[in-house]
Amino acid sequence: MIIHPKNQWLKPLIQEENDNTKPLLLFVATNIDAITSSEMIIRLLKYYQRTFELIPVASNEYLKERLIEFEEVHPDISAILFINCGAQIPLDLLAPNLVQDFPCFVIDSQRPILLENVESHHVNLVSINETQEQFTPYIKLYKERSTDASQDRVFGHIDPIGHFAEEEDDELDNHADFLGEDSDDEDALEGFIVQDGDIMEDVPEQDLEEEADVEEDPLTTYFEEAYFYDPSSFILFETIRQMGTFDFKNNLLWCAILGLTEQLVLGRIEDKRYLSCVSQLKNFVHLWNDQKRPQYNVYYDDVGAITMYHTEDERIVYKPEEFRFDLYRHQSFYGAMLNSSSILKRYPIWNADGLLQFKRQLAKSGVRIQDMEQPWPTMRRDARKKLKTNLLHKLRSSFQGIHVSTFVKHYGVDMTVSAIDAVYCMLSLLEETSDESLSPDQLWRQNFSKVRQAVQGHIEGLSSGIHEAVRIQNLIMKQCISIISRHQVKTVGSYNYIALSNTSTDFLKPFILRRLAVTLSRLLIQQHRFRSKKPLVISVADEQSDMRLIIGLSMGLKFNRFHTFFRWAYENVNAKVQHNLFDGSILRITKHQTADFLDALHYRMNVSFREKSS
């Protein structure tokens, strides 16, 4: 059932008349938006002296296991809250007693929502811009089809792709055998690409988005439109704000800003929608924070005067035109520019001519490159002023897309961090592997705690995370430049494929690999290297084993069946899912399985194209 934040759904959970010995169960996904949302809830619970139990969730499979465990023991709790998880699994089916006996609320930015959860009177889905009436036609159609026992079911709902007949499976088996690595018939391989041990059919490009003159099935359309909706932290901020004024309101505001910024950084939100959310948040930033620069306090020692900012509470400032050079405040400004996708989109600096063109335009700013090579905090103030004035205004036509509306937070005199830098910092903390003594399960739990500390404003954690984020960002950009300059992107029918080997082991980490895919896709789309709607598949070889990590990433914000195609393909070859990023699952499979998986993915996408065009 869909409910709106104005319904004050959270207030009954923290009222004093509730038994404080009964904890609130918090299931929290391992992403920045979910972690910042959980911090907002925890702040509120501590304010009202309510108890809670925080349960980090790494995947839907892990969530299902924990729900089944709680269902068996039936704990004495006050309520259940799912943050960025739960909306796409059948909660009524997995834990019927839990959701019926205790209030159950779900705040999930991932779409589509499982229709069973929308229909359930025991599951409350919190949303700002959606209503129950919007889902009524889909629920009605879903009920009609669910009575047919022959329908295939995926993710708990009717498979939007359709059901394969046995002869089609046989056709795929024959197709896979024909493309197998054991084949020594050279004539049979004509028309195929062979790269890094993988054999793939090189067929003419087909655009899966071409509209055929066929009436689309409403239920299929509903499940096709997989995307991210309002950030959970944005919804929670709206919920808590309506409950009253708290002395930690600025912390709530910063959490909402971070959740929104994560969607921007990972390409999960349209620019128009992002600016709309920024416009709403900046009103509270102006209301609750002094936007003027604080006065200087001058302190003296034996050497001379030391100038410092006035020590003050944490302050958030709205920046309508911040440089879109990731982490530029924490490294060389010139280096940040060279490692920025905003610059690489316009200037091909991987070759001599492109670099020369970029330097000529940059010289018009009136600042020497030697000055730009200084760290931003120590660069001369007049040089920084010239760069902001000239790059963002006078030279705007030569440096389009290098600015973004965002927010900056001052941690007293210790640190100044933009929301974008903070998100990159926290993404790096999620992937930290410095402690090799920990098991993978212990490691991701430890990293989850580190991100929580960074959200809470621990300077040491922020500093270490930003240092690692600078290293990873530079590594990603160097890899992107290498891929583009060496023409490693291959078109394989309905998707684009990149095979990486002898590369950094950092790309064997799920979040870093996904950031590589997102950054690369933006660069290639901008340069018209391939059609923007074609999905991107990247394979990274693990040199220490016979395994490979594969990520599939859809282009655009409406993901149009590819997520389902990707899942069908890896289930067909019994591949292991290492991490599910919703819009880009990551597989860890053998070299032999790689060829089978890519062939199954290509086959399924082309079958769907033929069905749609017939």
Side-chain angles (χ1 to χ4, degrees):
M1 180 173 61
I2 305 294
I3 62 174
H4 194 275
K6 68 181 180 182
N7 291 356
Q8 298 289 312
W9 60 273
L10 189 55
K11 203 167 186 177
L13 303 184
I14 58 175
Q15 288 176 342
E16 294 183 0
E17 54 266 25
N18 289 336
D19 187 354
N20 192 37
T21 61
K22 297 180 178 180
L24 171 68
L25 281 187
L26 284 174
F27 291 95
V28 182
T30 51
N31 56 60
I32 309 305
D33 181 37
I35 296 174
T36 55
S37 299
S38 69
E39 285 304 304
M40 298 168 78
I41 289 290
I42 290 172
R43 279 270 188 163
L44 192 67
L45 292 172
K46 288 182 176 179
Y47 181 83
Y48 285 101
Q49 299 181 346
R50 302 290 99 187
T51 57
F52 63 90
E53 181 177 352
L54 178 63
I55 306 170
V57 175
S59 65
N60 276 337
E61 288 69 26
Y62 181 83
L63 175 59
K64 291 175 183 177
E65 291 174 2
R66 294 308 307 269
L67 282 175
I68 292 173
E69 290 176 7
F70 279 111
E71 178 73 7
E72 292 176 352
V73 299
H74 199 73
D76 193 12
I77 58 178
S78 61
I80 310 171
L81 177 58
F82 299 88
I83 303 179
N84 273 356
C85 59
Q88 297 183 315
I89 63 173
L91 297 176
D92 262 335
L93 181 63
L94 288 170
N97 293 326
L98 279 180
V99 299
Q100 291 178 23
D101 295 346
F102 307 105
C104 177
F105 298 91
V106 179
I107 309 176
D108 199 338
S109 62
Q110 303 171 19
R111 298 294 184 273
I113 301 173
L114 193 66
L115 291 176
E116 285 104 323
N117 290 333
V118 179
E119 186 189 19
S120 172
H121 295 290
H122 306 293
V123 179
N124 299 284
L125 299 146
V126 186
S127 178
I128 295 178
N129 297 306
E130 294 168 311
T131 63
Q132 187 75 17
E133 290 71 25
Q134 290 177 236
F135 295 88
T136 302
Y138 303 112
I139 293 175
K140 181 179 179 182
L141 186 57
Y142 168 75
K143 284 182 175 180
E144 293 173 355
R145 296 193 182 180
S146 61
T147 56
D148 184 0
S150 65
Q151 288 283 357
D152 197 22
R153 296 174 69 84
V154 174
F155 301 113
H157 57 67
I158 298 176
D159 184 356
I161 297 178
H163 183 66
F164 269 106
E166 291 184 2
E167 56 268 20
E168 288 177 316
D169 288 333
D170 293 338
E171 180 185 346
L172 176 59
D173 292 338
N174 295 334
H175 192 52
D177 292 341
F178 173 69
L179 295 178
E181 293 181 276
D182 296 332
S183 175
D184 56 1
D185 187 352
E186 295 183 0
D187 294 334
L189 298 179
E190 182 179 356
F192 289 79
I193 297 173
V194 181
Q195 177 170 334
D196 198 21
D198 299 334
I199 304 174
M200 302 162 289
E201 187 175 2
D202 186 15
V203 300
E205 293 190 7
Q206 296 172 333
D207 190 352
L208 290 180
E209 304 304 317
E210 292 180 4
E211 294 294 335
D213 294 330
V214 180
E215 184 178 353
E216 284 288 345
D217 174 64
L219 198 58
T220 300
T221 302
Y222 174 80
F223 287 113
E224 279 181 358
E225 295 183 350
Y227 57 98
F228 283 83
Y229 209 54
D230 294 323
S232 296
S233 53
F234 192 82
I235 296 174
L236 268 174
F237 175 75
E238 185 66 18
T239 301
I240 299 175
R241 184 184 65 82
Q242 295 183 21
M243 293 175 59
T245 303
F246 303 96
D247 55 6
F248 52 86
K249 59 187 178 183
N250 229 30
N251 300 96
L252 302 177
L253 179 57
W254 183 241
C255 286
I257 290 171
L258 292 177
L260 173 65
T261 305
E262 184 196 26
Q263 289 202 350
L264 174 71
V265 166
L266 297 181
R268 294 172 173 174
I269 189 171
E270 296 173 337
D271 289 343
K272 184 178 180 181
R273 177 60 184 154
Y274 171 76
L275 291 175
S276 174
C277 293
V278 166
S279 179
Q280 296 176 57
L281 292 175
K282 79 176 181 181
N283 294 330
F284 298 102
V285 169
H286 289 154
L287 183 63
W288 297 340
N289 297 267
D290 182 7
Q291 297 299 288
K292 296 180 180 180
R293 193 171 190 175
Q295 297 294 319
Y296 288 107
N297 270 1
V298 180
Y299 301 89
Y300 295 91
D301 61 10
D302 296 336
V303 178
I306 301 177
T307 304
M308 302 180 66
Y309 284 125
H310 186 277
T311 303
E312 59 177 349
D313 293 335
E314 297 176 0
R315 183 173 64 102
I316 303 173
V317 178
Y318 170 59
K319 295 287 185 179
E321 289 187 321
E322 173 79 351
F323 282 124
R324 200 165 189 169
F325 306 142
D326 302 331
L327 302 155
Y328 79 90
R329 293 174 180 270
H330 312 282
Q331 59 177 316
S332 156
F333 183 75
Y334 184 68
M337 293 184 75
L338 292 180
N339 288 296
S340 168
S341 59
S342 303
I343 295 297
L344 292 180
K345 286 177 181 179
R346 188 172 182 86
Y347 298 100
I349 60 177
W350 51 84
N351 60 57
D353 292 339
L355 184 59
L356 180 61
Q357 181 187 9
F358 167 68
K359 287 184 175 181
R360 284 175 177 172
Q361 293 297 328
L362 192 58
K364 297 178 182 179
S365 68
V367 181
R368 299 180 306 167
I369 289 182
Q370 292 91 328
D371 291 331
M372 296 185 201
E373 289 175 339
Q374 299 298 316
W376 180 262
T378 61
M379 190 188 298
R380 296 197 334 265
R381 187 174 300 174
D382 64 319
R384 287 188 291 183
K385 186 175 181 180
K386 279 185 179 180
L387 286 173
K388 288 185 176 181
T389 300
N390 294 332
L391 294 185
L392 294 177
H393 300 286
K394 293 182 179 180
L395 300 175
R396 200 180 190 100
S397 60
S398 300
F399 292 94
Q400 293 180 355
I402 67 167
H403 70 281
V404 62
S405 296
T406 185
F407 303 89
V408 169
K409 187 168 186 178
H410 298 275
Y411 291 90
V413 299
D414 297 313
M415 181 180 288
T416 298
V417 181
S418 74
I420 294 175
D421 292 352
V423 167
Y424 278 122
C425 160
M426 294 169 192
L427 289 173
S428 301
L429 290 175
L430 280 176
E431 285 286 19
E432 191 173 351
T433 56
S434 56
D435 193 345
E436 298 180 355
S437 64
L438 299 178
S439 67
D441 183 67
Q442 292 173 323
L443 188 62
W444 73 260
R445 288 177 179 276
Q446 175 181 278
N447 292 346
F448 184 94
S449 298
K450 288 182 178 180
V451 174
R452 284 192 60 201
Q453 292 176 356
V455 173
Q456 294 165 4
H458 290 206
I459 301 300
E460 184 178 348
L462 282 169
S463 299
S464 63
I466 286 175
H467 178 77
E468 179 67 6
V470 170
R471 185 190 71 82
I472 291 173
Q473 185 68 13
N474 295 343
L475 179 68
I476 288 173
M477 297 313 301
K478 288 178 181 177
Q479 187 64 59
C480 288
I481 290 174
S482 174
I483 291 171
I484 294 173
S485 60
R486 294 169 61 186
H487 306 287
Q488 289 183 275
V489 184
K490 305 297 181 183
T491 299
V492 186
S494 301
Y495 62 89
N496 296 278
Y497 178 68
I498 300 170
L500 298 179
S501 58
N502 299 315
T503 188
S504 170
T505 55
D506 284 303
F507 294 118
L508 296 175
K509 301 175 182 178
F511 286 105
I512 296 178
L513 179 57
R514 189 194 184 284
R515 284 171 58 187
L516 171 67
V518 170
T519 304
L520 185 61
S521 66
R522 289 173 177 171
L523 292 175
L524 295 174
I525 290 171
Q526 186 71 21
Q527 295 173 6
H528 308 290
R529 294 298 182 99
F530 60 82
R531 297 182 183 180
S532 62
K533 293 179 181 178
K534 278 184 175 294
L536 179 65
V537 178
I538 300 179
S539 166
V540 182
D542 185 348
E543 304 300 332
Q544 297 183 352
S545 66
D546 190 40
M547 305 299 291
R548 292 189 182 181
L549 227 62
I550 297 183
I551 183 173
L553 185 73
S554 302
M555 300 297 100
L557 298 176
K558 300 288 185 178
F559 294 114
N560 304 303
R561 297 189 182 185
F562 180 68
H563 180 65
T564 314
F565 294 151
F566 198 85
R567 182 175 196 249
W568 182 91
Y570 69 66
E571 286 184 341
N572 185 75
V573 298
N574 297 318
K576 179 183 178 181
V577 180
Q578 175 162 324
H579 198 79
N580 193 327
L581 300 172
F582 180 71
D583 54 339
S585 296
I586 289 185
L587 314 179
R588 184 172 176 83
I589 60 179
T590 64
K591 181 178 179 180
H592 176 73
Q593 283 181 311
T594 300
D596 295 338
F597 166 76
L598 294 173
D599 188 56
L601 178 62
H602 165 71
Y603 169 80
R604 190 64 189 97
M605 293 180 73
N606 279 277
V607 165
S608 175
F609 175 79
R610 291 196 298 267
E611 290 174 348
K612 187 175 181 180
S613 301
S614 63

